[in-house]
Amino acid sequence: MPLANCVQCKKLFNKVKNELCQECLEKEERLLRLIHDHLRKTPKISLAQLIDDFAEIYDIELEESQIEKWVAEKRINLILPGENSATPRCQLCGREVKQGESICRTCKFTKLGRAGDKQKKPASNEPQAGNKIRGMYYKRWGSKE
């Protein structure tokens, strides 16, 4: 197993898939649970207000960059400054989408259609669609074909 230093505490640990050691990972999960509980109580809270609340209520210093990372990873659902707080919008076309979605249904189907077209392209050694030979053909003895 590869050894690495923990990003937070700089302790040496066996890195499997996380950048954090087991202790820091458990601390992070506990902090995320606290944030989830607080967001359930106050769902339309801003990022600045969340940081202030945690400093006052729990005496925990939250880093804005860490919260933005969790929002980007979709581990927490929080409206960041500059985002349209009224309704979420599709990242590709701008249509309104349901809460928690990033792409509308139309764009999803369009992307799936394009992915399907790429898979259906014939390989270079296969005959083209117009030149396909179908079935089995027999040549009659004595015919001039």
Side-chain angles (χ1 to χ4, degrees):
M1 287 189 175
L3 294 175
N5 288 332
C6 177
V7 177
Q8 287 183 357
C9 69
K10 308 297 183 211
K11 188 172 91 175
L12 195 63
F13 73 105
N14 286 332
K15 181 180 177 182
V16 178
K17 61 181 178 178
N18 294 318
E19 298 289 324
L20 303 173
C21 66
Q22 191 63 32
E23 293 171 18
C24 291
L25 190 63
E26 289 171 3
K27 287 179 188 175
E28 184 177 282
E29 291 300 320
R30 276 187 255 129
L31 182 60
L32 268 170
R33 276 188 241 121
L34 273 176
I35 291 173
H36 280 282
D37 292 340
H38 192 72
L39 288 174
R40 280 189 200 104
K41 294 173 189 170
T42 54
K44 295 189 178 189
I45 193 171
S46 67
L47 177 63
Q49 186 62 41
L50 179 70
I51 292 171
D52 291 342
D53 284 357
F54 264 76
E56 290 175 19
I57 298 170
Y58 302 106
D59 197 30
I60 297 174
E61 280 294 319
L62 291 178
E63 294 180 22
E64 188 173 331
S65 61
Q66 184 64 41
I67 295 172
E68 289 172 348
K69 178 185 162 203
W70 288 333
V71 169
E73 292 172 352
K74 297 189 179 188
R75 294 181 78 183
I76 59 174
N77 193 5
L78 181 70
I79 298 168
L80 295 176
E83 288 185 6
N84 186 356
S85 60
T87 56
R89 300 229 172 242
C90 176
Q91 292 177 350
L92 301 176
C93 68
R95 287 188 185 120
E96 290 184 14
V97 294
K98 294 178 184 175
Q99 188 68 28
E101 292 182 354
S102 58
I103 300 174
C104 68
R105 292 183 67 186
T106 306
C107 292
K108 283 180 189 174
F109 288 126
T110 305
K111 285 177 84 174
L112 286 173
R114 277 191 242 137
D117 291 344
K118 290 178 184 177
Q119 293 173 354
K120 290 180 183 177
K121 286 185 180 179
S124 60
N125 59 356
E126 289 183 19
Q128 297 297 324
N131 301 335
K132 276 192 172 177
I133 299 172
R134 295 188 179 128
M136 186 178 280
Y137 295 93
Y138 297 97
K139 185 173 181 182
R140 293 186 182 191
W141 294 97
S143 68
K144 296 183 179 181
E145 293 181 21

